[in-house]
Amino acid sequence: MVNFRLPYNTGRIALVLAAVFLLGFLLLPSQLQGLFQHIGSPVGWVLSWPLRAVAGVQEGTAELWDGFIMLRGVAEENQKLRRELEHLKGQNDQLREAAAATERLTALLEFKKQANISMVAAQVIGRDTGNWYRTILLNKGQSDGFKPDMGVVTQAGVVGRIVKTTAATSVVLLVTDPNNAIAGLIQRTRDEGIVEGTTQGLARLKYIPLLSNARPGDQVVTSGLVGGFPRGLAIGTITKIDKDEGALFQSAELTPDVDVGRVEEVLVIQSPNVQSEGERLDAPKVKSKS
């Protein structure tokens, strides 16, 4: 078998020659140094390619790392801006809700001032629109002077009537409940009847005289005869007249003026100032004979 290992002396000779080459490059005249440089330049050019490749990889890695750090910073900034935007949106929604509530309360107070009736504002804190009753719950009760049969309204019209109270809450039976009954008056014809709720969540004016020429579009208001409502508060608009053959009265379907499903603030009438029969008909007072 052939042994390709170099003898020990050969390795020593190569080491010595390398040292001499280095010393000659440093100590010999400049002409010889130029020769060595000329000889070594091809070798250096060959060796420079791996070095350049390594440097390129290093620079690329550094650029990728810097880009990653930059993108991470941008992502964190975007997340921070998104949180700030959500916070500002929440504040904007709160301000809009407060502005809407202020507008509603302002309208209620203006109505209260013009109506010249003793009324107290209350807020709706609960709803029950089940199969048995249609009611809302107010945040005020007996301690605020509320009692059953007191009328509940908004600036748009009648909401319902208080049917039950506790010290701090009141239950209001809505005008759209079939168990409710409010004395109504057709403004144009001056015919009177009783407004009751329907199972469809609307209302109906019953006991209209047969000779009445009431028609769709007529406005129905409170008559002020009985109950906790003064005269002239809006109840609803007639949408259909029903006249059964052989019936003693007509009836009319109504669309309530107040959307009771969206009421948030109301006024409770504490002193309805119900007019007497003579005052209601504007009859002159009879002077007593002396």
Side-chain angles (χ1 to χ4, degrees), residues 159-172:
V159 174
R161 185 198 312 274
I162 292 179
V163 292
K164 183 179 180 181
T165 59
T166 65
T169 61
S170 299
V171 178
V172 179

Side-chain angles (χ1 to χ4, degrees), residues 75-92:
E76 292 177 353
E77 184 68 18
N78 286 341
Q79 187 175 5
K80 180 181 178 181
L81 291 174
R82 191 177 293 109
R83 288 196 299 266
E84 292 179 356
L85 181 61
E86 291 176 355
H87 178 67
L88 292 175
K89 183 180 178 182
Q91 287 185 332
N92 185 46

Side-chain angles (χ1 to χ4, degrees), residues 16-76:
V16 171
L17 290 176
V20 171
F21 180 82
L22 180 60
L23 290 174
F25 179 78
L26 296 175
L27 300 177
L28 290 179
S30 58
Q31 294 83 358
L32 293 178
Q33 291 183 7
L35 178 62
F36 282 121
Q37 291 177 356
H38 180 72
I39 296 173
S41 59
V43 178
W45 181 81
V46 173
L47 294 177
S48 66
W49 278 101
L51 296 177
R52 290 178 182 176
V54 173
V57 172
Q58 184 178 4
E59 291 178 1
T61 304
E63 291 178 359
L64 288 175
W65 179 254
D66 292 341
F68 172 74
I69 296 299
M70 185 179 297
L71 289 176
R72 184 176 180 181
V74 171
E76 292 177 353

